[in-house]
C-alpha cells in the first residue's frame, strides 16, 4: 500500500502549525491551516488581518466548489436510480391513474381524466378497503407502540439475560410476511390452532371462534398477528429512548416519593415523545406495506371485511388488469404515506437531524 | 448427627430464608411476566417446529404446542417441503446476494458524496433519498411492470441464453438495488456524520483524490456499517414477495417467498409441510438474526 493511514495522523500536528501548506496553491501560506484543521486559527502565525479573512473565505468557497465537482460521481449514479425508480415511477403511476387504461392494450396518455378518482366514493369495495386501511393503520400503530413501550420498560429493569429477552421479542421481525402468515393462519385455525386450544384449556371455551374466517374478528386477528411481528421494533426504539434519559430523572422522582407507575407515567414516558413519533411513522409505513401478509393468508380475494388498499390495488391491477384504477388506488396509498412522512421529515429537518 | 452439624445446617437455613426475604416479590412478578411474554413470542415458532415433525394424523390428534410423540414423529414434511422450495432457494440466493451488495455499496458512495464532500443543496438531495425509504411499493408497481416490459431485458440478453432465461431475476436485482439505496444512504450518512473530518482533510493535503479518500479511508472505516447495511438489506430482499409477484412470471425463476406461497396454497390443510417449508425459507434470516442481532437491530432502527 503506497498510502499509509498512519502518515495521515502524523501529518496532522504539522499542518496545524501552519507549515504544511506547500501542497496547496495559494500564496498566503500562513492561513491555509485554518481551513483544514480545527485549531488552525490559534496556532497559525498572527497575520490575521481583515484582508486574510476574505482570502480565507475565497479559498473555502473554491475548496467547496471543487468538492461539489468531486462529489458528483459518488451521489449521481445512485441518485439516478432513485430518481428513476422512485420519483419517475411515482410520477408515471400518477399519469397512468389519469388514463382509462385497462386490459391488454397499451395506455393512452392523450385523453387524461379524473374518472378513476371520482368513481372511488361510489365503489363499496374501495370504501371498505379504505376504512380497513385507516383502522389497521391506527389500531396497529397504537397497539404496537403500547406493547413496545411495556416491553421496553420491562426489559429496562436491570434484569438478567436482558439480551436474551430482547432477542426473542425482536425475533419475529427477522421473518418474512409469508412465513408469519403461515404461522398465524395455523395459530388461528378454528379446530387445530393454538389460540382456540389454549382458550379452551384455560376454560374460556365461549371465546373460541374462527378468528380469520369470521368477518367480525378478521381485522382484529390481523392486527394482533402484525403486533406480534412488529412490537419488538417499537421496543428497540423505546429502549434507546429510555437509555437516553438521565438517571437523575428517575432518582428525582423516587425522592419525591412517586410510585414506579406514577414515575413512568408522569416523568419518563412524556420524555419519550421523539421515540414515539419516529416509531409511529415507521410502524404506519409497515402497516401500509402489510400486503404480503394478507395476500398469503387470504389470496387476493379476501372479501371486503379484511381488504386493505394495498391488497385491493394488487387485485384490481394485476388480477383484473384495470391498470388505471389500480394506479389510482396506489396514488391514494402514496398520498397516505406522504401525509404521515412529510410532516415527520419536515420536523426532523427543523430540528437539524438531517 | 452432631451438634455442630445441626447448627451448621441451621445457619444455612437462616441465610437462605434471609435471602428469600430479600428477594423482592415485584422481581418475581417481573420475571414471570418476561417469561410469559417469551412464551407468547415464541409460541408460533415453537408450534410450527413441533408441527413440522408430526405426521398428518399426528398434528390433528395432538395438542398444537406438544412435541411429537414417537408414534407421530416424522421428517417427511421437511423432505416434501424442501422439494417444493429448493428451486426458490437457489433463485433467491442468486439475486439477493448481488442486490444486497450493490445497494449497500451504492448507498455508501452516495452517503460519502453527500456528507464528506460538502456543497450546497446536498440536504435537498438527501431529503429526496430519505423520502424513498418510506415509499409504499404499491405506488410504483404498475409503472415498474410497464418499465421492465418496455426495456425488454430478455431480448437484450439474447446473446447469452443463460442470462436471458434469468432475465426476471436480473430485473429483480436491479429493482431491489434501486429501492435499497435510500435506506443504505441514510444508514451510512448517520455513520459518516459522526466520523472525524481531520483525516480526510489531511488526506486532501496529501493530494489524495476524492475516490482515493473513499477507497483508502472511508471504505475501510465503514466496514462496521457495511455489516449493518448488508444484514438489513439481505433480510429485506430475501423476505420480499411483492416485487417478485410482479416481476417474476416464469415458474423456474420463482424466488423462495413465491414458492413458499405456492406451497401454502397447494397444501392448504397440510400444516406440517407448510411449517417445514416456512422454516426452510426463514432459516437464512433467522441464522443471521441470531448471529448478528446487534447489527440487525441497528439496521431496522436506522431510518428512525
Amino acid at each position: 500500500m503506497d498510502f499509509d493511514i498512519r502518515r495521515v495522523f502524523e501529518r496532522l500536528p504539522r499542518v496545524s502549525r501552519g507549515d504544511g501548506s506547500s501542497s496547496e496553491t495559494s500564496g498566503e501560506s500562513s492561513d491555509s491551516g485554518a481551513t483544514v484543521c480545527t485549531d488552525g486559527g490559534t496556532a497559525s502565525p498572527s497575520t490575521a488581518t481583515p484582508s486574510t479573512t476574505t482570502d480565507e473565505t475565497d479559498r473555502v468557497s473554491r475548496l467547496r466548489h471543487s468538492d461539489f465537482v468531486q462529489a458528483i460521481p459518488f451521489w449521481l449514479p445512485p441518485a439516478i436510480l432513485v430518481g428513476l425508480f422512485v420519483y419517475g415511477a411515482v410520477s408515471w403511476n400518477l399519469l397512468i391513474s389519469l388514463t382509462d387504461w385497462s386490459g391488454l392494450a397499451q395506455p393512452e396518455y392523450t385523453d387524461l381524466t379524473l374518472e378513476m378518482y371520482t368513481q372511488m366514493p361510489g365503489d363499496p369495495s374501495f370504501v371498505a378497503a379504505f376504512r380497513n386501511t385507516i383502522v389497521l393503520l391506527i389500531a396497529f400503530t397504537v397497539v404496537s407502540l403500547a406493547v413496545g413501550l411495556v416491553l421496553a420498560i420491562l426489559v429496562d429493569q436491570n434484569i438478567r439475560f436482558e439480551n436474551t429477552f430482547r432477542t426473542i421479542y425482536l425475533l419475529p421481525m427477522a421473518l418474512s410476511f409469508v412465513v408469519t402468515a403461515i404461522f398465524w393462519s395455523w395459530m388461528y385455525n378454528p379446530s387445530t390452532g393454538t389460540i382456540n386450544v389454549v382458550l379452551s384449556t384455560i376454560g374460556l371455551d365461549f371465546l373460541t371462534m374462527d378468528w380469520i374466517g369470521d368477518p367480525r374478528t378478521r381485522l382484529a386477528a390481523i392486527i394482533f398477528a402484525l403486533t406480534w411481528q412488529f412490537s419488538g421494533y417499537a421496543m428497540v426504539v423505546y429502549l434507546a429512548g429510555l437509555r437516553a434519559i438521565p438517571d437523575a430523572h428517575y432518582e428525582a422522582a423516587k425522592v419525591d416519593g412517586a410510585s414506579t407507575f406514577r414515575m413512568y407515567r408522569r416523568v419518563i414516558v412524556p420524555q419519550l415523545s421523539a421515540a414515539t413519533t419516529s416509531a409511529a411513522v415507521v410502524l404506519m409505513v409497515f402497516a401500509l406495506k402489510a400486503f404480503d401478509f394478507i395476500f398469503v393468508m387470504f389470496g387476493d380475494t379476501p372479501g371486503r371485511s379484511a381488504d386493505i388498499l394495498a391488497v385491493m390495488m394488487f387485485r384490481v391491477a394485476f388480477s383484473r388488469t384495470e391498470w388505471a384504477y389500480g394506479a389510482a388506488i396506489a396514488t391514494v396509498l402514496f398520498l397516505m404515506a406522504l401525509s404521515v412522512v412529510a410532516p415527520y421529515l419536515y420536523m426532523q429537518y427543523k430540528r437539524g437531524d438531517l | 448427627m452432631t451438634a455442630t452439624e445441626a447448627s451448621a445446617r441451621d445457619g444455612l437455613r437462616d441465610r437462605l430464608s434471609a435471602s428469600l426475604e430479600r428477594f423482592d416479590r415485584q422481581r418475581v412478578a417481573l420475571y414471570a411476566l418476561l417469561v410469559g411474554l417469551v412464551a407468547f413470542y415464541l409460541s408460533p415458532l415453537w408450534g410450527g417446529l413441533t408441527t413440522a415433525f408430526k405426521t398428518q394424523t399426528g398434528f390433528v390428534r395432538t395438542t398444537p404446542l406438544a412435541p411429537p410423540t414417537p408414534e407421530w414423529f416424522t421428517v417427511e414434511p421437511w423432505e416434501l417441503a424442501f422439494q417444493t422450495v429448493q428451486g426458490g432457494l437457489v433463485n433467491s440466493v442468486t439475486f439477493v446476494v448481488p442486490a444486497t451488495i450493490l445497494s449497500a455499496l451504492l448507498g455508501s458512495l452516495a452517503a460519502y458524496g453527500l456528507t464528506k464532500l460538502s456543497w450546497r443543496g446536498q440536504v435537498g438531495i438527501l431529503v429526496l433519498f430519505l423520502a424513498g425509504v418510506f415509499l409504499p411499493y404499491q405506488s410504483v408497481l404498475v409503472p415498474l411492470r410497464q418499465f421492465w416490459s418496455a426495456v425488454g431485458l430478455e431480448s437484450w440478453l439474447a446473446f447469452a441464453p443463460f442470462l436471458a432465461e434469468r432475465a426476471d431475476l436480473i430485473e429483480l436485482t436491479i429493482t431491489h438495488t434501486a429501492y435499497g439505496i435510500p435506506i443504505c444512504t441514510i444508514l451510512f450518512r448517520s455513520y459518516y456524520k459522526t466520523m472525524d473530518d481531520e483525516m480526510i482533510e489531511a488526506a486532501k493535503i496529501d493530494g489524495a483524490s476524492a475516490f482515493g479518500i473513499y477507497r483508502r479511508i472511508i471504505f475501510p472505516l465503514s466496514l462496521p456499517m457495511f455489516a449493518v447495511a448488508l444484514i438489513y438489506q439481505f433480510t429485506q430482499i430475501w423476505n420480499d414477495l411483492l416485487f417478485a409477484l410482479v416481476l417474476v412470471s416464469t415458474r423456474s425463476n420463482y424466488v423462495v417467498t413465491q414458492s413458499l406461497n405456492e406451497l401454502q396454497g397447494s397444501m392448504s390443510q397440510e400444516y406440517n409441510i407448510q411449517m417445514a417449508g416456512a422454516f426452510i425459507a426463514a432459516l437464512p434470516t433467522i441464522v443471521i438474526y441470531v448471529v448478528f442481532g446487534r447489527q440487525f437491530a441497528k439496521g431496522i432502527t436506522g431510518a428512525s
Side-chain angles (χ1 to χ4, degrees), chain A residues 70-151:
Chain A
Q70 285 195 316
I72 289 175
F74 295 96
W75 64 262
L76 196 60
I80 288 173
L81 273 177
V82 172
L84 184 70
F85 279 90
V86 177
Y87 296 94
V90 168
S91 316
W92 193 353
N93 184 74
L94 186 67
L95 191 62
I96 290 172
S97 75
L98 298 175
T99 67
D100 58 359
W101 178 33
S102 66
L104 295 169
Q106 285 300 303
E108 296 206 15
Y109 299 113
T110 45
D111 198 13
L112 300 183
T113 162
L114 279 172
E115 198 197 313
M116 294 304 142
Y117 295 95
T118 50
Q119 77 179 64
M120 281 173 179
D123 178 355
S125 60
F126 176 85
V127 173
F130 187 81
R131 198 197 59 121
N132 286 337
T133 305
I134 299 286
V135 171
L136 178 78
L137 211 62
I138 293 169
F140 161 72
T141 308
V142 169
V143 174
S144 294
L145 284 177
V147 174
L149 179 63
V150 170
L151 289 177

Side-chain angles (χ1 to χ4, degrees), chain A residues 19-182:
Chain A
D19 54 359
S21 53
S22 54
S23 61
E24 285 292 335
T25 48
S26 108
E28 274 84 17
S29 61
S30 56
D31 59 29
S32 70
T35 59
V36 291
C37 69
T38 49
D39 62 340
T42 53
S44 58
S46 52
T47 52
T49 60
S51 70
T52 35
T53 321
T54 12
D55 283 345
E56 233 169 69
T57 30
D58 216 39
R59 244 186 65 80
V60 169
S61 74
R62 250 183 293 131
L63 256 179
R64 289 273 181 268
H65 177 73
S66 79
D67 271 358
F68 170 72
V69 174
Q70 285 195 316
I72 289 175
F74 295 96
W75 64 262
L76 196 60
I80 288 173
L81 273 177
V82 172
L84 184 70
F85 279 90
V86 177
Y87 296 94
V90 168
S91 316
W92 193 353
N93 184 74
L94 186 67
L95 191 62
I96 290 172
S97 75
L98 298 175
T99 67
D100 58 359
W101 178 33
S102 66
L104 295 169
Q106 285 300 303
E108 296 206 15
Y109 299 113
T110 45
D111 198 13
L112 300 183
T113 162
L114 279 172
E115 198 197 313
M116 294 304 142
Y117 295 95
T118 50
Q119 77 179 64
M120 281 173 179
D123 178 355
S125 60
F126 176 85
V127 173
F130 187 81
R131 198 197 59 121
N132 286 337
T133 305
I134 299 286
V135 171
L136 178 78
L137 211 62
I138 293 169
F140 161 72
T141 308
V142 169
V143 174
S144 294
L145 284 177
V147 174
L149 179 63
V150 170
L151 289 177
I153 289 175
L154 290 178
V155 167
D156 196 35
Q157 302 300 315
N158 251 329
I159 53 166
R160 300 181 69 184
F161 311 113
E162 186 198 312
N163 254 322
T164 315
F165 284 114
R166 254 189 325 183
T167 306
I168 290 169
Y169 300 149
L170 189 62
L171 175 62
M173 260 213 85
L175 306 174
S176 67
F177 275 125
V178 187
V179 169
T180 55
I182 289 178

Side-chain angles (χ1 to χ4, degrees), chain B residues 26-49:
Chain B
Q26 273 190 345
R27 255 0 233 176
V28 179
L30 173 67
Y31 280 100
L33 201 54
L34 286 164
V35 172
L37 284 163
V38 165
F40 169 67
Y41 279 90
L42 287 185
S43 57
L45 287 120
W46 169 254
L49 201 60

